[in-house]
PDB file of all heavy atoms in Angstrom:
ATOM      1  N   LEU A 124      31.170  42.802  45.608  1.00 83.00           N
ATOM      2  CA  LEU A 124      29.918  43.218  46.226  1.00 83.00           C
ATOM      3  C   LEU A 124      30.089  44.503  47.028  1.00 83.00           C
ATOM      4  O   LEU A 124      29.172  45.313  47.145  1.00 83.00           O
ATOM      5  CB  LEU A 124      29.414  42.102  47.150  1.00 83.00           C
ATOM      6  CG  LEU A 124      28.047  42.284  47.802  1.00 83.00           C
ATOM      7  CD1 LEU A 124      26.954  42.323  46.742  1.00 83.00           C
ATOM      8  CD2 LEU A 124      27.782  41.175  48.798  1.00 83.00           C
ATOM      9  N   PHE A 125      31.308  44.716  47.566  1.00 80.00           N
ATOM     10  CA  PHE A 125      31.567  45.878  48.394  1.00 80.00           C
ATOM     11  C   PHE A 125      32.388  46.946  47.692  1.00 80.00           C
ATOM     12  O   PHE A 125      32.653  47.995  48.262  1.00 80.00           O
ATOM     13  CB  PHE A 125      32.291  45.452  49.671  1.00 80.00           C
ATOM     14  CG  PHE A 125      31.499  44.500  50.514  1.00 80.00           C
ATOM     15  CD1 PHE A 125      31.794  43.151  50.517  1.00 80.00           C
ATOM     16  CD2 PHE A 125      30.444  44.954  51.285  1.00 80.00           C
ATOM     17  CE1 PHE A 125      31.055  42.267  51.283  1.00 80.00           C
ATOM     18  CE2 PHE A 125      29.701  44.073  52.049  1.00 80.00           C
ATOM     19  CZ  PHE A 125      30.009  42.726  52.049  1.00 80.00           C
ATOM     20  N   LEU A 126      32.810  46.650  46.479  1.00 73.00           N
ATOM     21  CA  LEU A 126      33.635  47.607  45.748  1.00 73.00           C
ATOM     22  C   LEU A 126      32.754  48.490  44.881  1.00 73.00           C
ATOM     23  O   LEU A 126      32.648  48.317  43.675  1.00 73.00           O
ATOM     24  CB  LEU A 126      34.667  46.866  44.886  1.00 73.00           C
ATOM     25  CG  LEU A 126      35.647  45.978  45.647  1.00 73.00           C
ATOM     26  CD1 LEU A 126      36.600  45.293  44.686  1.00 73.00           C
ATOM     27  CD2 LEU A 126      36.428  46.785  46.680  1.00 73.00           C
ATOM     28  N   GLN A 127      32.104  49.462  45.488  1.00 60.00           N
ATOM     29  CA  GLN A 127      31.216  50.377  44.784  1.00 60.00           C
ATOM     30  C   GLN A 127      32.017  51.447  44.056  1.00 60.00           C
ATOM     31  O   GLN A 127      33.111  51.829  44.470  1.00 60.00           O
ATOM     32  CB  GLN A 127      30.249  51.036  45.772  1.00 60.00           C
ATOM     33  CG  GLN A 127      29.401  50.057  46.551  1.00 60.00           C
ATOM     34  CD  GLN A 127      28.452  49.286  45.660  1.00 60.00           C
ATOM     35  OE1 GLN A 127      27.982  49.810  44.656  1.00 60.00           O
ATOM     36  NE2 GLN A 127      28.172  48.058  46.002  1.00 60.00           N
ATOM     37  N   GLN A 128      31.446  51.936  42.965  1.00 46.00           N
ATOM     38  CA  GLN A 128      32.053  53.050  42.248  1.00 46.00           C
ATOM     39  C   GLN A 128      31.916  54.318  43.091  1.00 46.00           C
ATOM     40  O   GLN A 128      30.962  54.469  43.851  1.00 46.00           O
ATOM     41  CB  GLN A 128      31.356  53.248  40.898  1.00 46.00           C
ATOM     42  CG  GLN A 128      31.520  52.069  39.956  1.00 46.00           C
ATOM     43  CD  GLN A 128      32.967  51.841  39.588  1.00 46.00           C
ATOM     44  OE1 GLN A 128      33.707  52.798  39.412  1.00 46.00           O
ATOM     45  NE2 GLN A 128      33.376  50.583  39.501  1.00 46.00           N
ATOM     46  N   PRO A 129      32.859  55.280  42.963  1.00 46.00           N
ATOM     47  CA  PRO A 129      32.810  56.498  43.775  1.00 46.00           C
ATOM     48  C   PRO A 129      31.490  57.256  43.662  1.00 46.00           C
ATOM     49  O   PRO A 129      31.011  57.836  44.625  1.00 46.00           O
ATOM     50  CB  PRO A 129      33.973  57.327  43.218  1.00 46.00           C
ATOM     51  CG  PRO A 129      34.911  56.314  42.643  1.00 46.00           C
ATOM     52  CD  PRO A 129      34.035  55.218  42.097  1.00 46.00           C
ATOM     53  N   GLU A 130      30.884  57.264  42.454  1.00 47.00           N
ATOM     54  CA  GLU A 130      29.656  58.024  42.281  1.00 47.00           C
ATOM     55  C   GLU A 130      28.444  57.311  42.845  1.00 47.00           C
ATOM     56  O   GLU A 130      27.366  57.876  42.935  1.00 47.00           O
ATOM     57  CB  GLU A 130      29.420  58.324  40.793  1.00 47.00           C
ATOM     58  CG  GLU A 130      29.192  57.090  39.930  1.00 47.00           C
ATOM     59  CD  GLU A 130      30.487  56.500  39.399  1.00 47.00           C
ATOM     60  OE1 GLU A 130      31.554  56.885  39.922  1.00 47.00           O
ATOM     61  OE2 GLU A 130      30.431  55.680  38.467  1.00 47.00           O
ATOM     62  N   GLN A 131      28.614  56.066  43.240  1.00 49.00           N
ATOM     63  CA  GLN A 131      27.505  55.316  43.809  1.00 49.00           C
ATOM     64  C   GLN A 131      27.529  55.435  45.322  1.00 49.00           C
ATOM     65  O   GLN A 131      28.516  55.087  45.959  1.00 49.00           O
ATOM     66  CB  GLN A 131      27.569  53.843  43.404  1.00 49.00           C
ATOM     67  CG  GLN A 131      27.326  53.622  41.923  1.00 49.00           C
ATOM     68  CD  GLN A 131      27.454  52.152  41.572  1.00 49.00           C
ATOM     69  OE1 GLN A 131      28.441  51.519  41.886  1.00 49.00           O
ATOM     70  NE2 GLN A 131      26.436  51.617  40.920  1.00 49.00           N
ATOM     71  N   GLU A 132      26.461  55.898  45.901  1.00 49.00           N
ATOM     72  CA  GLU A 132      26.417  56.097  47.340  1.00 49.00           C
ATOM     73  C   GLU A 132      25.774  54.930  48.067  1.00 49.00           C
ATOM     74  O   GLU A 132      25.834  54.832  49.278  1.00 49.00           O
ATOM     75  CB  GLU A 132      25.642  57.379  47.659  1.00 49.00           C
ATOM     76  CG  GLU A 132      26.330  58.626  47.106  1.00 49.00           C
ATOM     77  CD  GLU A 132      25.570  59.888  47.450  1.00 49.00           C
ATOM     78  OE1 GLU A 132      24.486  59.774  48.067  1.00 49.00           O
ATOM     79  OE2 GLU A 132      26.052  60.974  47.115  1.00 49.00           O
ATOM     80  N   GLN A 133      25.153  54.003  47.313  1.00 53.00           N
ATOM     81  CA  GLN A 133      24.500  52.882  47.965  1.00 53.00           C
ATOM     82  C   GLN A 133      25.534  51.892  48.470  1.00 53.00           C
ATOM     83  O   GLN A 133      26.622  51.771  47.928  1.00 53.00           O
ATOM     84  CB  GLN A 133      23.552  52.190  46.984  1.00 53.00           C
ATOM     85  CG  GLN A 133      24.258  51.551  45.796  1.00 53.00           C
ATOM     86  CD  GLN A 133      23.282  50.994  44.801  1.00 53.00           C
ATOM     87  OE1 GLN A 133      23.205  51.444  43.686  1.00 53.00           O
ATOM     88  NE2 GLN A 133      22.541  49.993  45.205  1.00 53.00           N
ATOM     89  N   ASP A 134      25.223  51.216  49.554  1.00 55.00           N
ATOM     90  CA  ASP A 134      26.141  50.230  50.096  1.00 55.00           C
ATOM     91  C   ASP A 134      25.613  48.841  49.810  1.00 55.00           C
ATOM     92  O   ASP A 134      24.586  48.648  49.179  1.00 55.00           O
ATOM     93  CB  ASP A 134      26.352  50.446  51.605  1.00 55.00           C
ATOM     94  CG  ASP A 134      25.048  50.384  52.384  1.00 55.00           C
ATOM     95  OD1 ASP A 134      24.045  49.859  51.859  1.00 55.00           O
ATOM     96  OD2 ASP A 134      25.040  50.876  53.521  1.00 55.00           O
ATOM     97  N   ALA A 135      26.360  47.820  50.293  1.00 57.00           N
ATOM     98  CA  ALA A 135      25.990  46.444  49.988  1.00 57.00           C
ATOM     99  C   ALA A 135      24.619  46.089  50.545  1.00 57.00           C
ATOM    100  O   ALA A 135      23.915  45.267  49.975  1.00 57.00           O
ATOM    101  CB  ALA A 135      27.052  45.482  50.526  1.00 57.00           C
ATOM    102  N   ALA A 136      24.246  46.724  51.662  1.00 52.00           N
ATOM    103  CA  ALA A 136      22.957  46.398  52.267  1.00 52.00           C
ATOM    104  C   ALA A 136      21.801  46.755  51.344  1.00 52.00           C
ATOM    105  O   ALA A 136      20.749  46.139  51.378  1.00 52.00           O
ATOM    106  CB  ALA A 136      22.797  47.132  53.598  1.00 52.00           C
ATOM    107  N   SER A 137      21.982  47.766  50.497  1.00 52.00           N
ATOM    108  CA  SER A 137      20.897  48.216  49.640  1.00 52.00           C
ATOM    109  C   SER A 137      20.826  47.440  48.334  1.00 52.00           C
ATOM    110  O   SER A 137      19.844  47.536  47.615  1.00 52.00           O
ATOM    111  CB  SER A 137      21.050  49.711  49.341  1.00 52.00           C
ATOM    112  OG  SER A 137      22.245  49.950  48.621  1.00 52.00           O
ATOM    113  N   ILE A 138      21.887  46.677  47.985  1.00 79.00           N
ATOM    114  CA  ILE A 138      21.857  45.969  46.716  1.00 79.00           C
ATOM    115  C   ILE A 138      21.703  44.457  46.888  1.00 79.00           C
ATOM    116  O   ILE A 138      21.345  43.768  45.958  1.00 79.00           O
ATOM    117  CB  ILE A 138      23.107  46.262  45.870  1.00 79.00           C
ATOM    118  CG1 ILE A 138      24.368  45.736  46.551  1.00 79.00           C
ATOM    119  CG2 ILE A 138      23.230  47.740  45.580  1.00 79.00           C
ATOM    120  CD1 ILE A 138      25.610  45.846  45.687  1.00 79.00           C
ATOM    121  N   VAL A 139      21.986  43.925  48.071  1.00 86.00           N
ATOM    122  CA  VAL A 139      21.780  42.500  48.305  1.00 86.00           C
ATOM    123  C   VAL A 139      20.292  42.242  48.503  1.00 86.00           C
ATOM    124  O   VAL A 139      19.667  42.830  49.385  1.00 86.00           O
ATOM    125  CB  VAL A 139      22.558  42.002  49.535  1.00 86.00           C
ATOM    126  CG1 VAL A 139      22.227  40.540  49.822  1.00 86.00           C
ATOM    127  CG2 VAL A 139      24.052  42.170  49.318  1.00 86.00           C
ATOM    128  N   THR A 140      19.729  41.398  47.664  1.00 88.00           N
ATOM    129  CA  THR A 140      18.297  41.139  47.752  1.00 88.00           C
ATOM    130  C   THR A 140      17.972  39.753  48.310  1.00 88.00           C
ATOM    131  O   THR A 140      16.888  39.545  48.847  1.00 88.00           O
ATOM    132  CB  THR A 140      17.639  41.270  46.373  1.00 88.00           C
ATOM    133  OG1 THR A 140      18.272  40.362  45.453  1.00 88.00           O
ATOM    134  CG2 THR A 140      17.789  42.693  45.847  1.00 88.00           C
ATOM    135  N   LYS A 141      18.912  38.819  48.172  1.00 93.00           N
ATOM    136  CA  LYS A 141      18.595  37.451  48.586  1.00 93.00           C
ATOM    137  C   LYS A 141      19.854  36.635  48.809  1.00 93.00           C
ATOM    138  O   LYS A 141      20.833  36.785  48.096  1.00 93.00           O
ATOM    139  CB  LYS A 141      17.720  36.788  47.513  1.00 93.00           C
ATOM    140  CG  LYS A 141      16.995  35.533  47.966  1.00 93.00           C
ATOM    141  CD  LYS A 141      16.036  35.057  46.874  1.00 93.00           C
ATOM    142  CE  LYS A 141      15.191  33.889  47.338  1.00 93.00           C
ATOM    143  NZ  LYS A 141      14.241  33.435  46.288  1.00 93.00           N
ATOM    144  N   VAL A 142      19.814  35.773  49.805  1.00 94.00           N
ATOM    145  CA  VAL A 142      20.876  34.791  50.052  1.00 94.00           C
ATOM    146  C   VAL A 142      20.215  33.421  50.100  1.00 94.00           C
ATOM    147  O   VAL A 142      19.284  33.214  50.887  1.00 94.00           O
ATOM    148  CB  VAL A 142      21.623  35.075  51.371  1.00 94.00           C
ATOM    149  CG1 VAL A 142      22.648  33.971  51.646  1.00 94.00           C
ATOM    150  CG2 VAL A 142      22.320  36.436  51.317  1.00 94.00           C
ATOM    151  N   VAL A 143      20.675  32.515  49.257  1.00 95.00           N
ATOM    152  CA  VAL A 143      20.084  31.174  49.180  1.00 95.00           C
ATOM    153  C   VAL A 143      21.174  30.129  49.415  1.00 95.00           C
ATOM    154  O   VAL A 143      22.144  30.061  48.647  1.00 95.00           O
ATOM    155  CB  VAL A 143      19.428  30.924  47.809  1.00 95.00           C
ATOM    156  CG1 VAL A 143      18.793  29.540  47.775  1.00 95.00           C
ATOM    157  CG2 VAL A 143      18.385  32.000  47.510  1.00 95.00           C
ATOM    158  N   PHE A 144      21.007  29.323  50.450  1.00 96.00           N
ATOM    159  CA  PHE A 144      21.979  28.275  50.733  1.00 96.00           C
ATOM    160  C   PHE A 144      21.701  27.047  49.875  1.00 96.00           C
ATOM    161  O   PHE A 144      20.553  26.751  49.521  1.00 96.00           O
ATOM    162  CB  PHE A 144      21.958  27.897  52.213  1.00 96.00           C
ATOM    163  CG  PHE A 144      22.739  28.835  53.080  1.00 96.00           C
ATOM    164  CD1 PHE A 144      22.151  29.979  53.590  1.00 96.00           C
ATOM    165  CD2 PHE A 144      24.078  28.596  53.376  1.00 96.00           C
ATOM    166  CE1 PHE A 144      22.866  30.865  54.373  1.00 96.00           C
ATOM    167  CE2 PHE A 144      24.806  29.473  54.148  1.00 96.00           C
ATOM    168  CZ  PHE A 144      24.202  30.617  54.656  1.00 96.00           C
ATOM    169  N   ALA A 145      22.771  26.330  49.532  1.00 96.00           N
ATOM    170  CA  ALA A 145      22.656  25.135  48.702  1.00 96.00           C
ATOM    171  C   ALA A 145      21.872  24.056  49.436  1.00 96.00           C
ATOM    172  O   ALA A 145      21.892  23.984  50.674  1.00 96.00           O
ATOM    173  CB  ALA A 145      24.051  24.617  48.343  1.00 96.00           C
ATOM    174  N   ASP A 146      21.179  23.218  48.674  1.00 94.00           N
ATOM    175  CA  ASP A 146      20.395  22.136  49.276  1.00 94.00           C
ATOM    176  C   ASP A 146      21.266  21.207  50.109  1.00 94.00           C
ATOM    177  O   ASP A 146      20.838  20.709  51.156  1.00 94.00           O
ATOM    178  CB  ASP A 146      19.678  21.330  48.191  1.00 94.00           C
ATOM    179  CG  ASP A 146      18.553  22.117  47.533  1.00 94.00           C
ATOM    180  OD1 ASP A 146      18.080  23.098  48.141  1.00 94.00           O
ATOM    181  OD2 ASP A 146      18.153  21.753  46.414  1.00 94.00           O
ATOM    182  N   SER A 147      22.500  20.975  49.648  1.00 93.00           N
ATOM    183  CA  SER A 147      23.397  20.094  50.389  1.00 93.00           C
ATOM    184  C   SER A 147      23.738  20.654  51.763  1.00 93.00           C
ATOM    185  O   SER A 147      23.933  19.910  52.727  1.00 93.00           O
ATOM    186  CB  SER A 147      24.690  19.861  49.594  1.00 93.00           C
ATOM    187  OG  SER A 147      25.342  21.099  49.320  1.00 93.00           O
ATOM    188  N   VAL A 148      23.781  21.971  51.862  1.00 94.00           N
ATOM    189  CA  VAL A 148      24.040  22.629  53.153  1.00 94.00           C
ATOM    190  C   VAL A 148      22.805  22.532  54.039  1.00 94.00           C
ATOM    191  O   VAL A 148      22.886  22.191  55.220  1.00 94.00           O
ATOM    192  CB  VAL A 148      24.431  24.104  52.941  1.00 94.00           C
ATOM    193  CG1 VAL A 148      24.536  24.830  54.283  1.00 94.00           C
ATOM    194  CG2 VAL A 148      25.741  24.197  52.179  1.00 94.00           C
ATOM    195  N   ARG A 149      21.652  22.813  53.445  1.00 90.00           N
ATOM    196  CA  ARG A 149      20.400  22.751  54.203  1.00 90.00           C
ATOM    197  C   ARG A 149      20.117  21.344  54.738  1.00 90.00           C
ATOM    198  O   ARG A 149      19.599  21.167  55.830  1.00 90.00           O
ATOM    199  CB  ARG A 149      19.245  23.169  53.311  1.00 90.00           C
ATOM    200  CG  ARG A 149      19.201  24.652  52.986  1.00 90.00           C
ATOM    201  CD  ARG A 149      18.111  24.925  51.967  1.00 90.00           C
ATOM    202  NE  ARG A 149      17.760  26.325  51.924  1.00 90.00           N
ATOM    203  CZ  ARG A 149      16.909  26.920  52.756  1.00 90.00           C
ATOM    204  NH1 ARG A 149      16.349  26.210  53.717  1.00 90.00           N
ATOM    205  NH2 ARG A 149      16.639  28.202  52.659  1.00 90.00           N
ATOM    206  N   ASP A 150      20.476  20.333  53.932  1.00 88.00           N
ATOM    207  CA  ASP A 150      20.180  18.948  54.296  1.00 88.00           C
ATOM    208  C   ASP A 150      21.238  18.328  55.201  1.00 88.00           C
ATOM    209  O   ASP A 150      21.078  17.193  55.657  1.00 88.00           O
ATOM    210  CB  ASP A 150      20.035  18.091  53.030  1.00 88.00           C
ATOM    211  CG  ASP A 150      18.847  18.525  52.180  1.00 88.00           C
ATOM    212  OD1 ASP A 150      17.935  19.166  52.728  1.00 88.00           O
ATOM    213  OD2 ASP A 150      18.856  18.234  50.965  1.00 88.00           O
ATOM    214  N   SER A 151      22.318  19.045  55.438  1.00 86.00           N
ATOM    215  CA  SER A 151      23.393  18.508  56.269  1.00 86.00           C
ATOM    216  C   SER A 151      22.908  18.306  57.701  1.00 86.00           C
ATOM    217  O   SER A 151      22.258  19.178  58.284  1.00 86.00           O
ATOM    218  CB  SER A 151      24.588  19.461  56.261  1.00 86.00           C
ATOM    219  OG  SER A 151      25.651  18.951  57.030  1.00 86.00           O
ATOM    220  N   VAL A 152      23.196  17.153  58.261  1.00 73.00           N
ATOM    221  CA  VAL A 152      22.771  16.826  59.627  1.00 73.00           C
ATOM    222  C   VAL A 152      23.903  17.208  60.573  1.00 73.00           C
ATOM    223  O   VAL A 152      24.871  16.471  60.752  1.00 73.00           O
ATOM    224  CB  VAL A 152      22.439  15.323  59.765  1.00 73.00           C
ATOM    225  CG1 VAL A 152      21.954  15.020  61.173  1.00 73.00           C
ATOM    226  CG2 VAL A 152      21.395  14.919  58.736  1.00 73.00           C
ATOM    227  N   ILE A 153      23.772  18.384  61.187  1.00 70.00           N
ATOM    228  CA  ILE A 153      24.840  18.893  62.051  1.00 70.00           C
ATOM    229  C   ILE A 153      24.492  18.571  63.495  1.00 70.00           C
ATOM    230  O   ILE A 153      24.008  19.401  64.265  1.00 70.00           O
ATOM    231  CB  ILE A 153      25.025  20.402  61.843  1.00 70.00           C
ATOM    232  CG1 ILE A 153      25.203  20.703  60.348  1.00 70.00           C
ATOM    233  CG2 ILE A 153      26.228  20.912  62.614  1.00 70.00           C
ATOM    234  CD1 ILE A 153      25.307  22.176  60.026  1.00 70.00           C
TER     235      ILE A 153
END
Side-chain angles (χ1 to χ4, degrees):
L124 185 64
F125 299 103
L126 300 179
Q127 302 295 328
Q128 296 297 322
E130 64 272 14
Q131 292 178 308
E132 296 181 357
Q133 64 185 116
D134 58 18
S137 63
I138 65 173
V139 175
T140 57
K141 196 173 186 179
V142 176
V143 181
F144 279 87
D146 290 340
S147 58
V148 173
R149 288 173 163 277
D150 296 338
S151 181
V152 182
I153 308 176

